[in-house]
Amino acid sequence: MSFDLKSIQLFTRIAALGQIGAAGREFRLSPTSATQRIKALENVLGTRLLNRSTRSVSLTPDGEAFLRHATNIVASMDEAYSELSGEAEVSGTLRVTSSATFGRLYIMPHLRRFMDLHPKLELELNLSDTVLDMVEGGFDLALRIGVLRDSQLLAKKLAPCRRVLVASPCYLEKHLPISTPADLSVHECLVDGYKNSWRFRHPDGREENVRVSGRFKSNIGEAFSAAALDGFGVAALSLWHAHVALKQGALRVVLPEVELLPDWNIYAVQTSTGHTPARVRVFREFMEAELKLQQPIWEEALR
C-alpha cells in the first residue's frame, strides 16, 4: 500500500472547501484530474471518502475518520520540510474575506508590509458587506465583526469591538436632549432595516431595551456613518469606525455612560480542518498585532 502526499493534501482541502474544483485550482489541477487523484486515494484505502453531487461534496463516515489522520500527516510533513530544508518563507495562495469598510481602513493600509514580509505568498482579498460562505467561496480566513453564530467554523478573537451611539453636533443642537436611553424613542435613529430596538447595559448592570425608529435605514456601517455626519440622526457605530470623526468633533458620543449590547468582537474565522496552514497563521497573527496597536488610538476618541 502506497500513499501520494499530494492527494492527501488535496483531500484535506476538498474537505475544507466542500468543492473538488476549488481545491483542485489550489494545486493547479483540473476538476477531472483532481477527481482522479481522489479516486486513486480511495482505491488505495479500499473505501469511499466523499459523497459527490453536482454542486458540492461531503465526507463519508470513513472520510471523516481519515481526515483526522490526513490533517496530522500534512501538518507533520510541512513541519518536517521547514525544519530539514531551512525554509522559513510562507508560500501558496491565501484567500481572505472581510467587510468592505473594515478591510479598507484596517487591512489595506498594512498589506504592503505584510506582503514584503512574505514575498512568496499570494493574497486574494475579497471585501464585501455580505457575510460570504467560507466553504462555497473557497476562503482560508474571514475577518468578522459582531456576534458569531453557532457553526462548524473555528474562531479566534482578535480584538474587542466597542460600539457607541453618535450624532452630529448640528443634529443634537436642533433636537430634544438625550439624557436616558428612553429618550431615543422620540429621536431619528439610524437602524438596520429589520431591527427596531437597541439594548443597553447601565453602570449598575441593569439592562434596558428601547424601541427606536427613523426615516433612514441601511445594512452597512459606511452608510450610517455618512448619514450621521450629515445630521440624519443617532447611529450606533463601532469605535474603530467612528474614532476619527469623534476626535475631529464631527460626531459626538451620545449616552457615554451606557454600553450597547450585545458585546461585539473582531474575529478571525477559519474552516475546522484540524490544521492551520502557515499562510493562515501568519496573516492571523499579523492582523492581531496590528489591531492591538490600533485599540489605544480608537479609545483616545472618548477621552
Side-chain angles (χ1 to χ4, degrees):
M1 180 184 294
S2 61
F3 291 96
D4 176 16
L5 179 60
K6 188 172 183 179
S7 296
I8 295 175
Q9 292 172 318
L10 174 65
F11 169 71
T12 63
R13 292 304 292 156
I14 292 172
L17 301 177
Q19 295 181 343
I20 292 177
R25 284 193 294 273
E26 294 186 5
F27 293 84
R28 292 180 170 81
L29 296 173
S30 68
T32 299
S33 296
T35 298
Q36 290 174 344
R37 279 187 168 273
I38 294 302
K39 286 182 177 178
L41 181 61
E42 290 175 326
N43 289 336
V44 171
L45 292 170
T47 187
R48 187 160 52 92
L49 300 174
L50 300 173
N51 295 310
R52 300 168 177 82
S53 69
T54 55
R55 296 188 61 183
S56 64
V57 296
S58 61
L59 295 175
T60 65
D62 284 345
E64 292 178 355
F66 182 67
L67 179 62
R68 293 192 292 271
H69 299 288
T71 53
N72 290 333
I73 291 169
V74 172
S76 296
M77 290 303 297
D78 286 346
E79 292 171 4
Y81 178 79
S82 296
E83 180 178 341
L84 296 176
S85 67
E87 177 65 69
E89 293 181 311
V90 178
S91 61
T93 300
L94 174 65
R95 305 194 71 236
V96 177
T97 181
S98 167
S99 76
T101 304
F102 185 83
R104 178 174 59 81
L105 293 176
Y106 295 102
I107 298 179
M108 289 304 303
H110 308 295
L111 279 189
R112 178 72 273 161
R113 188 162 68 87
F114 176 76
M115 299 299 281
D116 286 345
L117 288 171
H118 306 287
K120 291 188 177 181
L121 185 66
E122 296 180 6
L123 177 64
E124 296 179 13
L125 178 62
N126 184 303
L127 299 181
S128 173
D129 287 310
T130 299
V131 178
L132 302 177
D133 185 283
M134 290 192 66
V135 173
E136 185 174 329
F139 297 110
D140 297 297
L141 193 74
L143 296 181
R144 291 186 175 166
I145 300 168
V147 178
L148 293 182
R149 307 169 192 165
D150 291 336
S151 72
Q152 295 183 347
L153 302 176
L154 296 177
K156 176 177 174 55
K157 177 181 171 181
L158 300 184
C161 182
R162 182 175 178 182
R163 293 179 298 151
V164 291
L165 292 182
V166 299
S168 69
C170 67
Y171 177 86
L172 295 173
E173 290 166 5
K174 294 177 181 179
H175 294 80
L176 293 172
I178 305 173
S179 302
T180 69
D183 294 336
L184 292 166
S185 62
V186 296
H187 278 264
E188 286 285 329
C189 295
L190 312 179
V191 295
D192 287 352
Y194 61 92
K195 293 181 180 177
N196 61 0
S197 68
W198 282 335
R199 186 155 58 100
F200 301 92
R201 181 191 294 125
H202 289 265
D204 61 4
R206 177 172 52 91
E207 296 185 6
E208 179 180 5
N209 281 309
V210 177
R211 292 184 65 84
V212 294
S213 62
R215 291 178 297 154
F216 178 80
K217 296 178 175 63
S218 184
N219 65 330
I220 60 172
E222 196 86 57
F224 290 139
S225 176
L229 287 167
D230 284 341
F232 279 38
V234 181
L237 295 181
S238 297
L239 200 52
W240 59 260
H241 194 171
H243 75 99
V244 173
L246 290 171
K247 290 200 72 173
Q248 293 173 343
L251 292 175
R252 293 179 186 169
V253 176
V254 177
L255 299 174
E257 70 279 1
V258 298
E259 298 176 46
L260 275 167
L261 295 176
D263 296 320
W264 279 16
N265 295 294
I266 302 171
Y267 296 95
V269 180
Q270 66 188 80
T271 53
S272 55
T273 62
H275 169 57
T276 300
R279 64 183 184 279
V280 175
R281 175 179 51 78
V282 295
F283 185 79
R284 185 185 66 197
E285 292 174 352
F286 178 85
M287 286 306 306
E288 184 175 17
E290 290 300 327
L291 292 178
K292 284 182 178 178
L293 293 175
Q294 292 294 329
Q295 282 178 256
I297 298 174
W298 304 342
E299 296 291 335
E300 286 175 4
L302 302 180
R303 295 170 188 164

